[in-house]
Amino acid sequence: MYKYSKLALSIGLSLLFLSFFTACKSDDDFAKIDESKDGELELKFENGFEGVGGIVLGATTQQSALGQYHNFSTLKYIISNIELIDENGQVFSYHYNNPDQGAFVINQENARANIVYVQLKDIPQRKYTKLRFGLGIHQSAYLLGHDGQAKFWNEAKQQGMTWSWASGYVFVKLEGKYGQEFPTKPYKNHTGNMGNVTANQTADLYRVIELNLPTNARVSTKVKPSIHIMANLNNFLSGDKKLLLDDTNDDTMGSSPFMVEVTNNLSGMFRVDHVHNDEAPKNN
């Protein structure tokens, strides 16, 4: 969790202490598992600037590694193709390449206490050690056409995550202001694919993210894990490639060379902070 003050630190340590005991439940829940029954799992995405805290749209400002100040008025990205890997290396794919059932828009406007929640149902009862997901939409899913992704396409369109002048998804939408002393100049950086990238010979900006879980996520009919994922937006301009916004790239869309560099930076922004193995809803 991003650190705001001594009080927040104290609360965070208390939560960590509680999560330790929650995560260290006995294996009684897994002694006899009815594999015909599934459980649930929750993903929590917290967007912030490492060392600054959570992001308030239009307000929170960060200085990049190259000294440039910037903020976000819009912060959205698509995740899809969620996969869970258990302690034996077995992979469970959650509606893989089925955007209607397995793709989600992480929109900072919808954050509650700086967290955007994703609820997953029908998860096999196992102890999971890794999480994998796609940033964007895989070409195989996109090429299903409207019939194979109509529900999510409409949702993405409503949230401004499709192109208005071309066919395809916006994978990450970042907008705000930047400047050398104060963020005063507007920018728009929208990454994503347009059409068939192979046929069009354009860069594919879909990326696969794999994260180790610091504590096993113990899905059962009695336990509903919550995986808390931190997204450090410092990576936008201060990832592996140090970037500067200027007149040549501050209004850039699609899969241009600059957007490839932005995508590569953003691919490294995720980490799992902790896992809560909380009691599942009683209606299970």
Side-chain angles (χ1 to χ4, degrees):
M1 186 173 296
Y2 292 105
K3 298 174 183 177
Y4 304 95
S5 63
K6 291 183 179 179
L7 175 60
L9 177 61
S10 177
I11 294 172
L13 290 173
S14 298
L15 289 173
L16 181 63
F17 185 73
L18 177 61
S19 68
F20 174 79
F21 283 97
T22 305
C24 294
K25 287 183 178 180
S26 72
D27 285 346
D28 291 346
D29 289 342
F30 291 86
K32 295 180 181 179
I33 290 180
D34 182 355
E35 294 188 357
S36 66
K37 297 180 180 179
D38 291 327
E40 299 180 8
L41 184 142
E42 176 182 74
L43 302 180
K44 300 196 299 187
F45 286 85
E46 183 171 358
N47 298 310
F49 290 127
E50 190 71 41
V52 174
I55 291 175
V56 177
L57 295 175
T60 309
T61 299
Q62 175 65 311
Q63 186 177 25
S64 73
L66 297 180
Q68 195 168 60
Y69 291 90
H70 63 287
N71 60 28
F72 297 112
S73 58
T74 298
L75 168 53
K76 307 176 186 179
Y77 50 90
I78 291 175
I79 66 161
S80 63
N81 286 350
I82 297 167
E83 293 187 303
L84 297 163
I85 299 93
D86 71 16
E87 57 187 348
N88 298 315
Q90 189 173 1
V91 179
F92 168 70
S93 298
Y94 187 82
H95 301 294
Y96 200 86
N97 280 343
N98 179 354
D100 280 359
Q101 301 295 322
F104 306 89
V105 177
I106 307 302
N107 185 347
Q108 187 67 9
E109 291 180 2
N110 299 330
R112 305 196 308 270
N114 203 47
I115 293 174
V116 179
Y117 295 82
V118 173
Q119 305 297 332
L120 308 179
K121 295 185 177 182
D122 303 320
I123 309 297
Q125 297 187 62
R126 299 177 194 164
K127 301 175 188 176
Y128 295 101
T129 62
K130 294 183 180 182
L131 168 69
R132 197 154 54 210
F133 59 86
L135 181 60
I137 297 291
H138 193 280
Q139 272 284 286
S140 297
Y142 167 74
L143 293 175
L144 290 172
H146 192 263
D147 291 342
Q149 54 188 317
K151 179 182 176 183
F152 181 70
W153 179 268
N154 291 334
E155 177 186 345
K157 186 175 182 179
Q158 289 173 1
Q159 297 204 48
M161 297 301 282
T162 59
W163 305 111
S164 60
W165 65 89
S167 181
Y169 290 99
V170 179
F171 291 172
V172 182
K173 177 175 280 191
L174 303 178
E175 299 178 2
K177 293 183 178 180
Y178 73 99
Q180 286 306 117
E181 296 183 0
F182 303 98
T184 57
K185 188 170 183 179
Y187 73 88
K188 293 181 180 180
N189 278 186
H190 302 174
T191 80
N193 293 346
M194 297 181 185
N196 187 325
V197 296
T198 302
N200 296 335
Q201 296 184 330
T202 54
D204 184 358
L205 296 193
Y206 176 81
R207 296 290 184 269
V208 177
I209 314 299
E210 182 170 299
L211 305 172
N212 292 320
L213 305 185
T215 303
N216 289 353
R218 305 157 60 85
V219 176
S220 75
T221 55
K222 296 182 179 180
V223 176
K224 178 184 177 181
S226 179
I227 300 176
H228 195 134
I229 302 163
M230 313 299 288
N232 177 15
L233 272 299
N234 284 350
N235 279 50
F236 171 37
L237 300 179
S238 306
D240 289 340
K241 183 69 177 290
K242 312 309 177 190
L243 302 175
L244 277 174
L245 291 168
D246 58 35
D247 291 340
T248 68
N249 58 33
D250 62 8
D251 191 2
T252 309
M253 316 289 170
S255 55
S256 68
F258 183 73
M259 289 294 92
V260 172
E261 293 178 335
V262 168
T263 296
N264 291 339
N265 275 357
L266 295 176
S267 298
M269 70 179 177
F270 300 100
R271 68 176 176 86
V272 176
D273 187 70
H274 59 270
V275 177
H276 285 297
N277 286 299
D278 295 328
E279 185 175 338
K282 293 183 179 180
N283 59 0
N284 278 4

